[in-house]
Amino acid sequence: MQPLRAGRWLVAVPMAALAIATVYPLVFTANVAMKTRHEYVLDRFSPAEALRWDAFATAWDSADMDRYLVNSLIVVTGSVALLALIGSMAGFALSQLRFRGSRALFLGCLAALFIPFQVIMVPLARTMAQTGLIDTYPGLILAYVAQFLPFTVFLMTSYYSGIPAEIVDAARIDGNSVYGVYGRIMLPLGRPALLSVGILNALFCWNDVLIALLMMPSAEHRTLMVGVTSLRGQYAADIPTFAGAVLIAAVPVLALYLVFQRQIASGVTAGSTKG
């Protein structure tokens, strides 16, 4: 029993330390947002004297947080929907429909995962500028689709590869076309993976700053994270207001994670199976 307990402590202590290190920045930011500027200057680490919500109201009213929030919701919703549609169709084709070049195409998608966005940033910006998509919602949505589609295709291909080919064959014998098999059989079966990859893509798009800043340079079309980042200079002398803006931007992400944490964990491991 003693070696077993010692083994549990060896696992529990590092996990507890990791949990504290993860939660502490959120607690510290919330504590700063509750302070006045005077309290923060005197001691930034001491607990706030009272629960004040002035920083959140100031950040929401004077920093156009409502407009940034709407922009983020439009872009994230469009990107996730398009990624789910294209990724699920590509995953079905690459895993169940054997055609010439399918293996090479899958390996190409896999290789694209290792290409940093900074490598394609300049060509992408030039292409979007030439097509008039800079500073538009469709332009940013297409940029997100281009960036996160290889990840989506990889996960959906790995998931659909675990579905027996006999199901597809039986559907084809019953008279279903390729699109019928996809819509009636594969799409319902792929709902768990689609939910997982959709949540992960939503988190990726919501937290992004670099792509959104490149594709949406005007203040009117900024996403929430870009807007919060720009507030750092505007409220350099008012750190509690900036901390309140950071928490406002983090609340949707935290809520999404708390509600769908099991799906997120399953999505992370969905690509571990052999495709």
Side-chain angles (χ1 to χ4, degrees):
M1 294 298 294
Q2 292 297 330
L4 181 59
R5 292 182 179 179
R8 290 179 178 177
W9 277 106
L10 288 174
V11 175
V13 171
M15 291 297 100
L18 181 61
I20 293 173
T22 303
V23 174
Y24 175 75
L26 182 63
V27 176
F28 175 78
T29 304
N31 183 57
V32 170
M34 297 292 178
K35 293 184 176 183
T36 62
R37 276 191 278 182
H38 180 68
E39 287 181 61
Y40 178 79
V41 172
L42 289 179
D43 190 352
R44 66 185 64 182
F45 296 104
S46 63
E49 295 180 359
L51 296 179
R52 301 184 182 91
W53 309 100
D54 300 344
F56 300 97
T58 302
W60 183 265
D61 295 334
S62 63
D64 294 330
M65 297 287 288
D66 53 345
R67 184 174 62 186
Y68 299 154
L69 178 61
V70 172
N71 292 339
S72 289
L73 289 176
I74 293 174
V75 171
V76 171
T77 302
S79 301
V80 170
L82 198 55
L83 282 166
L85 176 62
I86 300 175
S88 61
M89 295 180 72
F92 163 58
L94 293 175
S95 62
Q96 299 293 337
L97 304 180
R98 299 303 176 185
F99 55 92
R100 182 177 297 178
S102 61
R103 189 65 179 175
L105 187 58
F106 175 73
L107 292 177
C109 291
L110 185 60
L113 291 172
F114 300 95
I115 301 177
F117 175 73
Q118 290 79 359
V119 175
I120 63 172
M121 182 169 60
V122 175
L124 177 64
R126 287 181 177 178
T127 303
M128 291 296 183
Q130 291 172 357
T131 54
L133 292 174
I134 289 291
D135 212 18
T136 63
Y137 294 128
L140 183 54
I141 290 173
L142 290 177
Y144 281 147
V145 171
Q147 178 65 17
F148 301 123
L149 185 59
F151 169 78
T152 307
V153 171
F154 172 67
L155 255 67
M156 293 307 301
T157 302
S158 299
Y159 182 84
Y160 279 141
S161 296
I163 297 177
E166 289 78 7
I167 296 179
V168 177
D169 296 337
R172 295 297 298 272
I173 292 174
D174 288 341
N176 288 285
S177 64
V178 173
Y179 296 101
V181 175
Y182 167 75
R184 296 188 180 96
I185 306 298
M186 303 305 290
L187 197 58
L189 290 177
R191 284 178 182 174
L194 280 173
L195 179 61
S196 299
V197 76
I199 294 170
L200 290 173
N201 284 329
L203 294 177
F204 295 155
C205 296
W206 186 273
N207 291 325
D208 170 71
V209 174
L210 179 58
I211 302 177
L213 187 60
L214 179 68
M215 300 302 301
M216 295 288 206
S218 68
E220 181 182 358
H221 295 107
R222 285 174 178 169
T223 59
L224 187 59
M225 285 301 175
V226 175
V228 170
T229 304
S230 65
L231 295 180
R232 183 64 181 88
Q234 181 179 352
Y235 293 98
D238 190 0
I239 300 301
T241 299
F242 177 70
V246 171
L247 285 178
I248 291 175
V251 164
V253 176
L254 291 174
L256 188 67
Y257 177 77
L258 291 176
V259 173
F260 296 106
Q261 53 183 321
R262 291 186 178 179
Q263 287 79 5
I264 294 174
S266 62
V268 171
T269 59
S272 60
T273 59
K274 184 178 179 180

